[in-house]
Amino acid sequence: MTRRFDVLVVGSGIAGLSFALKVARQGRSVAILTKKNKADSNTNWAQGGIAVVTAQTDAFAKHVKDTLVAGDGLCTEKVVREIVREGPARVQELVDLGLTFSRDKSGAYDLGREGGHSERRILHVKDMTGKAIEDALLQAIANEPLVALFEHFFAIDVITRRRPGGRRRVGPDRVEGLYALDVRDGRVVTFAAPVVMLASGGAGQVYLYSTNPDIATGDGIAMAYRAGVEVRNLEFIQFHPTTLYSPDNARFLISEAVRGEGAILRNLAGEAFMPAYHPQADLAPRDIVARAIDSEMKKSGAPHVWLDITHRTPAFLRNRFPQIDRICRQHGLDLAKDLIPVVPAAHYTCGGVATTLAAETSLPGLYACGEVACTGLHGANRLASNSLLEAVVMAHRGAASVQRYLEGLPAKRPSPLPEWVDLGGHDSDERVVVSHNWNELRHTMWDYVGIMRTTKRLERARSRIATLAREIHDYYWNFSVDPQLLELRNLTQVAELIVTCALQRRESRGLHAIADHPRRRMVARATRVRAD
Ligand code: SIN
């Protein structure tokens, strides 16, 4: 059976929901596909907030400069300027939907500060900004009759077609829909539409330790790559400096806003070490803080460093960081009295599917926005809290661009799409190996493609990942598809792409620190990969 819409959206975070809302309000029918529940998104986990110029003392030029400095020479300046400038208008739309950002006693926005920002400019809803945004958008979507939300539908691949007699060029001519696994009944459904928006988030789960939810398996990046679309700058994986250390694999984010309110990093000897690494000390850009922690841990052999916010009152901490306070208490830690053990963990995919400032990819009809995309805003290292900003601005621009694209399409009856072909469809008790491979992949990435890299380690990772990719293709792909197998395929694909980009970059820049190429090259260039 084929289901037909004007527009398909993969992912139900801030980017996908904002885009869907706007496109529906243009009178288009929209299907949002999400592989789990509608609120299972990276957005929902975002603590910090949304960086936007609102204060009298602030200026667009300052926000632009901070973004460019953090991005270490690799941001596209025009993109930075436009996204920063459009921020206030897009944030006002969130406020119009009913979102209430935290305010101080005078009634003004309670602006937060994070690493790399020269001003307080982070709008937040205490330490649960993402959840508040997600709730507001889901509420608005629920009232939109043209939007159908498909929970537990896992997008597998986009469907592309070459126009008969179309001019010869690399890759297919346009997108026509996608195949999605209905997770609850195991069948693959064909969705037809002239537009597909990838808004499926990043790939933090490719690493053993990550702040991301389980869903962050790089699905959109892998799908776009398989469709022949260019991906860019994937070596720039941002490691968040401060996640709560625990002996298991779980990592809970301790927002950078805690350092924005004065928290200090200390090594196990109790020394505040950041001033020795950077003039902005604990509020230096994230790549620098994460590397400093890594270096302190390696020097001392300690499994973590400490975060110290004990100079703040219990009342302040409970009010400003209620969620962090609660989770720390569950671990027997009192923010106002105890030092908090913290370690870095994979947090944000700065590269991704290459797009224009209109969210267009190189494949007509295929769009991308949010963490899955690479617009040029983040360069070699994303400035804290710029991602929610990018998501709302690019969703708006994407909606305008899709409107133009749909208006330009010839009005003719769409031809039927090929049905999904299941290669094997059998089940196997070897399936347990799929989860072993997940673990192997995530260990490999953590050990060899982490905060500090060498060419030798990258090559070792490349050879192990290639073996996994071969096994998936030659062997597991004959199983009936299920979410775990699809995620493993996508993660392995993205891991290959991260390593390919990392090997292309023969310099240390931003988040990519490689011991055998310690210097930054004079000219900053993006790394690009495209399937043959
Ligand atoms: C944080 O709260 O530290 C994370 C915010 C972000 O990654 O932008």
Side-chain angles (χ1 to χ4, degrees):
M1 185 186 59
T2 298
R3 310 191 73 137
R4 209 166 272 285
F5 293 87
D6 293 326
V7 175
L8 305 174
V9 182
V10 182
S12 59
I14 183 171
L17 295 178
S18 308
F19 169 80
L21 198 57
K22 285 177 184 258
V23 169
R25 288 177 178 174
Q26 293 163 2
R28 305 291 181 180
S29 62
V30 187
I32 303 173
L33 280 68
T34 179
K35 64 182 176 179
K36 294 229 168 122
N37 295 310
K38 57 190 178 206
D40 285 324
S41 66
N42 272 336
T43 301
N44 220 12
W45 287 38
Q47 293 179 7
I50 179 160
V52 67
V53 173
T54 57
Q56 292 288 329
T57 53
D58 203 357
F60 291 134
K62 290 188 193 172
H63 189 177
V64 168
K65 183 166 174 229
D66 294 344
T67 303
L68 296 176
V69 169
D72 204 8
L74 201 66
C75 304
T76 310
E77 192 166 339
K78 174 177 160 43
V79 170
V80 177
R81 273 193 267 110
E82 299 215 5
I83 291 181
V84 164
R85 266 187 180 282
E86 265 186 54
R90 303 289 77 84
V91 164
Q92 185 55 46
E93 289 171 356
L94 291 175
V95 172
D96 294 344
L97 286 182
L99 189 69
T100 314
F101 289 110
S102 296
R103 292 183 179 264
D104 62 21
K105 287 198 185 93
S106 74
Y109 283 133
D110 175 34
L111 297 173
R113 182 153 189 192
E114 294 183 40
H117 286 274
S118 56
E119 289 283 336
R120 283 189 171 266
R121 67 167 68 96
I122 320 291
L123 293 179
H124 61 92
V125 183
K126 297 189 185 278
D127 60 354
M128 291 169 288
T129 313
K131 182 171 179 332
I133 295 178
E134 183 82 17
D135 289 350
L137 285 167
L138 281 172
Q139 183 69 45
I141 286 284
N143 295 326
E144 205 45 71
L146 284 173
V147 180
L149 206 129
F150 292 85
E151 292 178 290
H152 304 282
F153 273 73
F154 195 131
I156 303 174
D157 269 316
V158 293
I159 305 169
T160 56
R161 188 174 325 231
R162 216 179 267 285
R163 255 179 251 125
R167 78 205 132 84
R168 302 297 307 162
R169 63 180 186 85
V170 180
D173 274 340
R174 67 197 142 104
V175 88
E176 298 218 321
L178 57 77
Y179 298 114
L181 173 70
D182 178 345
V183 174
R184 288 198 271 224
D185 79 2
R187 274 185 305 183
V188 175
V189 179
T190 306
F191 284 83
V195 167
V196 174
M197 169 60 87
L198 300 174
S200 46
Q205 286 298 331
V206 80
Y207 284 92
L208 184 59
Y209 302 114
S210 169
T211 62
N212 295 181
D214 291 347
I215 46 114
T217 53
D219 304 328
I221 297 170
M223 280 166 71
Y225 174 74
R226 286 193 295 266
V229 167
E230 180 182 296
V231 298
R232 240 181 241 170
N233 288 348
L234 277 167
E235 68 277 31
F236 298 117
I237 299 293
Q238 186 169 72
F239 291 84
H240 196 289
T242 56
T243 69
L244 184 60
Y245 168 74
S246 69
D248 60 15
N249 288 359
R251 290 290 178 260
F252 174 73
L253 181 69
I254 307 284
S255 175
E256 202 155 282
V258 178
R259 273 176 287 133
E261 298 302 340
I264 289 171
L265 286 160
R266 298 187 184 281
N267 58 24
L268 289 209
E271 293 153 359
F273 56 84
M274 275 314 300
Y277 287 88
H278 195 272
Q280 282 173 286
D282 296 274
L283 286 177
R286 241 174 230 183
D287 54 334
I288 291 159
V289 183
R291 270 197 299 277
I293 295 176
D294 188 60
S295 152
E296 291 293 317
M297 283 165 53
K298 283 189 178 132
K299 261 195 260 169
S300 66
H304 61 78
V305 294
W306 299 114
L307 187 67
D308 180 0
I309 182 108
T310 52
H311 64 287
R312 289 293 203 161
T313 64
F316 170 81
L317 293 168
R318 246 195 319 273
N319 178 50
R320 175 66 180 85
F321 302 113
Q323 183 182 212
I324 297 173
D325 182 73
R326 183 170 51 79
I327 301 286
C328 283
R329 276 177 200 285
Q330 283 169 9
H331 285 75
L333 296 162
D334 181 341
L335 284 175
K337 287 199 193 120
D338 298 316
L339 300 184
I340 308 301
V342 291
V343 281
H347 181 60
Y348 194 86
T349 312
C350 294
V353 181
T355 72
T356 64
L357 252 175
E360 302 146 340
T361 72
S362 54
L363 176 63
L366 186 67
Y367 293 74
C369 78
E371 189 173 351
V372 68
C374 181
T375 58
L377 175 70
H378 306 313
N381 175 39
R382 178 184 62 106
L383 183 68
S385 288
N386 261 358
S387 39
L388 296 180
L389 168 71
E390 183 189 47
V392 279
V393 171
M394 292 307 295
H396 178 81
R397 287 171 158 256
S401 165
V402 161
Q403 175 79 325
R404 290 191 295 273
Y405 180 74
L406 289 173
E407 280 167 6
L409 287 180
K412 63 173 178 102
R413 262 179 88 77
S415 43
L417 296 181
E419 289 295 316
W420 169 259
V421 181
D422 198 332
L423 287 182
H426 68 276
D427 236 315
S428 162
D429 24 340
E430 290 297 303
R431 210 169 251 293
V432 66
V433 186
V434 171
S435 68
H436 291 177
N437 285 0
W438 256 81
N439 289 334
E440 190 181 331
L441 180 72
R442 298 171 75 200
H443 275 279
T444 300
M445 290 299 285
W446 187 259
D447 292 342
Y448 301 131
V449 197
I451 293 175
M452 273 310 299
R453 300 166 178 176
T454 66
T455 302
K456 210 178 218 157
R457 282 188 219 153
L458 292 176
E459 279 168 353
R460 203 170 291 164
R462 178 166 63 180
S463 116
R464 291 186 186 182
I465 296 164
T467 306
L468 287 175
R470 246 189 330 271
E471 283 178 13
I472 293 166
H473 180 266
D474 296 350
Y475 183 47
Y476 305 125
W477 203 236
N478 291 330
F479 295 173
S480 54
V481 288
D482 75 3
Q484 208 188 13
L485 179 57
L486 293 173
E487 285 181 338
L488 177 66
R489 180 171 79 133
N490 290 338
L491 277 177
T492 308
Q493 183 95 75
V494 174
E496 272 183 321
L497 294 169
I498 293 172
V499 173
T500 303
C501 288
L503 282 164
Q504 271 184 33
R505 187 166 295 286
R506 299 174 145 260
E507 63 168 349
S508 289
R509 180 185 294 278
L511 295 156
H512 179 69
I514 179 157
D516 36 342
H517 298 289
R519 286 198 201 303
R520 204 174 84 155
R521 287 186 177 236
M522 293 281 284
V523 181
R525 288 213 173 83
T527 52
R528 299 158 196 273
V529 194
R530 190 173 184 156
D532 299 331

